């Protein structure tokens, strides 16, 4: 009667059970967090409002006063007010214009910084991925039983990775 | 139109027509196609119709008459179809792919037209049976149906890809065939799982034999005996390929054991940190001698259809170590001829285990017995093919030169 057949499935299970005593794996890299787009849209809407409304009127519109004697009095009073306060309104309009330009510049700068932050984050994740891959290779080596260490005399033998290049034929 | 005519009733042998998009032997698919045609040639006159070849014409090739249509199938069209199948299957893991007319047209684009001329050739030959090569070959099926809607059809499935086997677009090819030929058991099971009719799906194996001269003298490229043979299937400079990493792992893990690493651009024999480099393996006799005298063969990129190199290795009594998700796993698991790995650590454990004399000898004997039973007999292969096609076997096999 011959030897019973060796079942590779059982053989592998036994092998796994014997070998997988130490199990170490590198951490998985973090996910890249994407920016909240709705926040940027809200900022953009406010900025567009500023662009549309920063220019205040520089004279009184008689249509706003209405008709009749009362209207004429209001128009007269309005023109007088604008004539007296005109230099102040012009300065205020210049101020608002500058404020809008500054806000526009800040918005642009914020976008640049956000982009750079995202890029930096991506660079860090890429680096983490590379390190995790490298550590995964290390993990494989750690799981192995180095033959040099398992030599009967207990001494580790050093080997060179490259050698001569004599041809086989 | 009818399948037979008064003239054909006087035929001494049946006529079988093989419809293959490609007629060559370089790939496993091409090689098995030729072997199936060769097996049929033992009992029938075999005509091969292929869109390949320019100009169109008829030529003799060994025992076959080959009809070249002169309208080669564009390889980019096949690649597009394969990518579509892969992509759609990936997006629909449940395999409930909705098939629309547009999608069908896209899949078949430029793959039906090359077969236009096949119907005329079939009308001239009036075959008793046609063999369609490849389950994706809807163009050949269309040509057959244009000629005769009830003509018996055998399908050589060539199911290297499980997604493609299950893809509903190709159901009509399976449904039309009255017999389906699969090379391995895993391919057969995959076909039955998706298309049913287990009685119609036949495992045919392949006609392989150990070259006895390979056992007479070792190939000294690595060492005389007991070395580890690693077959990568990639170039040594392909640093990004997983196979390169795994082969490096083997040579560093077993520095005291000669390790022969076969790359596509060279053969590298490592021992004790030194390397001898040589030309890539080109002759099958060199590969046979390397396998025959190796302690274990590690095939990191086995053939996708039936992993021929692993069967060759088993025929020489050399156990194999293969990836767990490869077609070669069947030879290790069902044939009990080796082990399989799911990660690099398991690869090294498997190799180390097979270097032990007791395990090595057991797997060597079991694997060799399996390979000889299932792949080692040309006569049995011919019987399986002709039996599956419903054709009677005659005594003398015909030699088929590849």
């Amino acid at each position: 009667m011959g030897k019973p057949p060796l079942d590779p499935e059982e053989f592998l299970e036994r092998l796994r059970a014997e070998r997988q005593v130490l199990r170490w794996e590198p951490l998985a890299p973090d996910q890249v967090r994407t920016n909240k787009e709705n926040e940027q849209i809200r900022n953009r809407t406010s900025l567009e409002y500023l662009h549309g409304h920063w220019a205040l009127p520089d004279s009184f519109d008689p249509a706003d006063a209405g008709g009749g004697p009362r209207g004429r009095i209001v128009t007269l009073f309005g023109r007088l007010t604008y004539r007296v306060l005109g230099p102040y309104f012009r300065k205020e309009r210049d101020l608002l214009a500058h404020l809008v330009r500054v806000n526009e510049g800040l918005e642009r700068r914020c976008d640049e910084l956000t982009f750079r932050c995202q890029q930096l984050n991506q660079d860090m994740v890429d680096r983490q991925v590379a390190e995790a891959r490298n550590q995964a290779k290390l993990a494989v080596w750690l799981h192995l039983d180095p033959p040099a260490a398992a030599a009967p005399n207990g001494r580790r033998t050093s080997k060179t990775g490259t050698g001569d290049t004599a041809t086989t034929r | 139109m009818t399948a037979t005519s008064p003239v054909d009733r006087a035929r001494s042998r049946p006529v079988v027509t093989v419809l293959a998009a490609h007629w060559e032997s370089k790939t496993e698919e091409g090689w098995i196609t030729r072997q199936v045609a060769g097996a049929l040639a033992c009992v029938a006159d075999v005509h091969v119709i292929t869109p390949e070849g320019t100009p169109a014409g008829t030529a003799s090739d060994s025992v076959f008459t080959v009809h070249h249509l002169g309208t080669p199938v564009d390889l980019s069209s096949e690649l597009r179809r394969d990518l579509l199948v892969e992509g759609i299957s990936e997006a629909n893991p449940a395999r409930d792919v909705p098939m629309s007319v547009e999608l069908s047209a896209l899949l078949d684009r430029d793959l039906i037209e090359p077969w236009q001329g096949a119907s005329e050739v079939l009308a001239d030959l009036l075959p008793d049976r046609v063999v369609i090569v490849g389950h994706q070959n809807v163009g050949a099926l269309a040509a057959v149906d244009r000629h005769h809607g009830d003509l018996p059809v055998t399908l050589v499935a060539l199911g290297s890809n499980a997604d493609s086997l299950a893809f509903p677009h190709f159901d009509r090819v399976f449904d039309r065939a009255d017999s389906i030929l699969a090379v391995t058991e895993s391919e057969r099971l995959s076909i039955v799982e998706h298309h049913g009719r287990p009685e119609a799906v036949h495992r045919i194996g392949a006609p392989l034999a150990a070259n006895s001269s390979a056992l007479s003298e070792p190939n000294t490229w690595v060492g005389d005996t007991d070395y580890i043979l690693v077959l990568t299937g990639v170039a040594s400079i392909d640093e990004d390929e997983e196979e390169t990493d795994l082969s490096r792992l083997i040579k560093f893990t077993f520095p005291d054991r000669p390790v022969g690493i076969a790359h596509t651009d060279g053969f590298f024999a490592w021992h004790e940190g030194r390397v001898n480099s040589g030309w890539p393996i080109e002759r099958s006799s060199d590969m046979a001698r390397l396998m025959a005298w190796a302690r274990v063969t590690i095939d990191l990129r086995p053939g996708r259809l039936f992993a021929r190199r692993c069967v060759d290795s088993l025929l020489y009594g050399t156990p194999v170590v293969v990836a767990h998700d490869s077609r070669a796993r069947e030879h290790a698991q069902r044939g009990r001829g080796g082990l399989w790995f799911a990660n690099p650590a398991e690869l090294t454990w498997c190799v180390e285990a097979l270097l032990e004399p007791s395990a090595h000898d057991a797997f060597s004997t079991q694997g060799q017995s399996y390979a000889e039973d299932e792949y080692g007999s040309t006569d049995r292969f011919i019987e399986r093919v002709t039996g599956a096609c419903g054709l009677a076997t005659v005594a003398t096999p015909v030699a088929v030169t590849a």
Side-chain angles (χ1 to χ4, degrees):
Chain A
M1 199 171 106
K3 281 196 282 187
L6 194 54
D7 182 8
E9 213 140 11
E10 287 173 13
F11 190 87
L12 262 180
E13 283 307 315
R14 203 170 63 234
L15 209 59
R16 286 184 186 125
E18 285 170 4
R19 298 298 189 120
Q20 287 191 332
V21 179
L22 172 67
R23 189 80 195 169
W24 175 80
E25 288 176 350
L27 285 174
D30 290 337
Q31 294 289 320
V32 180
R33 282 188 294 276
T34 51
N35 64 321
K36 293 171 184 168
E37 280 186 9
N38 56 352
E39 203 169 283
Q40 198 170 6
I41 289 166
R42 197 170 60 230
N43 291 345
R44 194 68 228 170
T45 311
S46 300
L47 205 62
E48 277 164 9
Y49 178 85
L50 284 181
H51 277 296
H53 297 84
W54 66 271
L56 300 174
D58 53 3
S59 60
F60 183 77
D61 185 1
D64 292 343
R70 184 186 168 87
R72 278 198 292 277
I73 292 168
V74 171
T75 301
L76 194 67
F77 187 73
R79 281 177 179 162
L80 185 65
T81 306
Y82 267 84
R83 186 166 296 173
V84 173
L85 295 178
Y88 170 75
F89 285 150
R90 278 192 290 278
K91 282 182 183 172
E92 191 168 12
R93 192 162 65 167
D94 287 347
L95 177 70
L96 286 174
H98 278 94
L99 281 174
V100 172
R101 282 192 204 105
V102 167
N103 272 318
E104 178 69 30
L106 283 173
E107 166 83 4
R108 204 172 295 151
R109 184 68 181 149
C110 278
D111 284 350
E112 281 173 14
L113 287 173
T114 306
F115 177 69
R116 283 178 66 178
C117 276
Q118 285 171 354
Q119 209 168 28
L120 201 63
N121 195 13
Q122 184 62 51
D123 288 348
M124 280 171 58
V125 170
D126 288 347
R127 179 67 189 169
Q128 280 184 337
V129 169
E131 283 182 356
R133 191 174 290 141
N134 201 28
Q135 286 181 332
K137 285 184 181 174
L138 177 66
V140 170
W141 293 104
L142 287 175
H143 293 160
L144 302 177
D145 180 20
N153 57 13
R155 284 189 295 113
R156 288 185 73 91
T157 52
S158 62
K159 304 285 183 203
T160 53
T162 55
D164 60 19
T165 52
T167 55
T168 51
R169 56 179 172 173
Chain B
M1 192 178 284
T2 56
T4 55
S5 69
V7 176
D8 300 307
R9 287 193 195 108
R11 286 172 178 170
S12 57
R13 280 156 50 101
V15 173
V16 174
T17 306
V18 177
L19 290 93
H22 306 286
W23 183 246
E24 44 80 33
S25 301
K26 288 176 187 165
T27 60
E28 284 191 349
E29 287 83 358
W31 182 83
I32 198 71
T33 299
R34 201 178 173 93
Q35 300 306 316
V36 168
L40 292 170
C42 296
V43 294
D45 291 334
V46 176
H47 292 260
V48 178
I49 301 177
T50 175
E52 285 183 337
T54 45
T58 303
S60 288
D61 178 3
S62 183
V63 293
F64 316 113
T65 305
V66 184
H67 303 265
H68 297 282
L69 300 178
T71 50
V73 175
D74 190 1
L75 290 178
S76 61
S77 304
E78 291 183 324
L79 181 64
R80 182 185 56 233
R81 175 198 62 201
D82 294 345
L83 286 172
L84 274 170
V85 169
E86 196 79 19
I88 295 167
S89 302
E90 186 80 16
N92 295 273
R95 303 195 189 285
D96 53 346
V97 182
M99 291 304 303
S100 63
V101 177
E102 292 81 10
L103 178 57
S104 294
L106 189 60
L107 284 161
D108 293 342
R109 204 169 81 192
D110 301 331
L111 293 170
I112 303 282
E113 294 78 11
W115 288 97
Q116 286 293 340
S119 302
E120 288 174 24
V121 180
L122 286 168
D124 289 342
L125 295 172
L126 293 175
D128 300 295
R129 173 171 288 274
V130 294
V131 177
I132 293 177
V133 177
H135 66 278
Q136 299 169 319
N137 202 345
V138 289
L141 178 65
V144 171
D145 284 343
R146 276 197 304 274
H147 163 62
H148 192 292
D150 294 327
L151 194 60
V153 171
T154 294
L155 172 65
V156 183
L158 301 186
S160 309
N161 185 311
D163 287 336
S164 181
L165 279 178
F167 204 72
H169 182 66
F170 308 120
D171 284 356
R172 54 186 148 152
V173 187
F174 286 99
D175 295 344
R176 177 71 172 79
D178 54 69
S179 57
I180 300 165
L181 311 186
V183 181
T184 62
E185 181 64 8
S186 44
E187 184 189 357
R188 192 188 73 82
L189 290 174
S190 191
I191 294 169
V192 171
E193 181 190 349
H194 299 296
H195 302 281
R197 294 198 297 148
E199 73 288 348
V201 189
H202 307 270
R203 175 163 51 82
I204 56 170
L208 294 168
N211 181 357
S212 54
S213 65
L215 290 161
S216 61
E217 188 188 354
N219 189 329
T220 54
W221 291 6
V222 197
D224 285 353
T225 56
D226 289 346
Y227 49 84
I228 299 168
L229 179 62
V230 184
L231 309 175
T232 65
V234 297
S236 59
I237 53 170
D238 288 342
E239 289 287 330
D240 293 338
E241 296 287 351
E242 193 186 5
E243 288 84 352
T244 309
D245 271 346
L246 293 176
S247 62
R248 191 177 290 139
L249 180 65
I250 292 296
K251 82 186 176 202
F252 286 140
T253 310
F254 303 98
D256 299 328
R257 169 87 57 171
V259 178
I261 303 176
H263 286 283
T264 53
D265 60 346
F267 185 81
F268 302 89
W270 287 82
H271 191 204
E272 297 184 331
R274 295 173 187 275
V275 61
N276 287 338
S277 54
W279 299 108
I281 304 170
E282 285 169 355
R283 290 184 302 183
S284 59
S285 58
D286 284 333
M287 178 65 89
R289 284 200 295 158
L290 280 168
M291 282 180 175
W293 294 87
R295 190 73 175 166
V296 56
T297 298
I298 305 166
D299 197 345
L300 297 176
R301 192 174 277 196
R304 295 176 64 218
L305 183 63
F306 68 101
R308 180 182 170 179
R309 289 190 304 210
C310 292
V311 180
D312 281 334
S313 181
L314 294 181
L315 283 168
Y316 291 112
T318 306
V320 294
V321 176
V322 294
H324 74 115
D325 54 355
S326 68
R327 186 53 61 83
R329 175 174 169 171
E330 176 175 332
H331 306 315
Q333 188 169 12
R334 189 169 143 267
R336 301 180 176 213
L339 298 169
W340 56 95
F341 62 92
N343 57 53
E346 281 189 10
L347 167 62
T348 57
W349 303 340
C350 291
V351 175
E352 202 174 312
L354 286 177
L355 292 175
E356 294 290 328
S358 57
H360 171 272
D361 294 350
F363 283 117
S364 169
T365 310
Q366 292 172 179
Q368 194 168 24
S369 168
Y370 155 82
E372 281 172 357
D373 282 351
E374 307 236 344
Y375 294 90
S377 166
T378 303
D379 289 346
R380 279 202 295 275
F381 175 76
I382 292 168
E383 279 169 20
R384 285 193 288 259
V385 172
T386 53
C389 294
L391 301 165
T393 320
V394 292
T396 318
V398 178
V400 180
T401 52

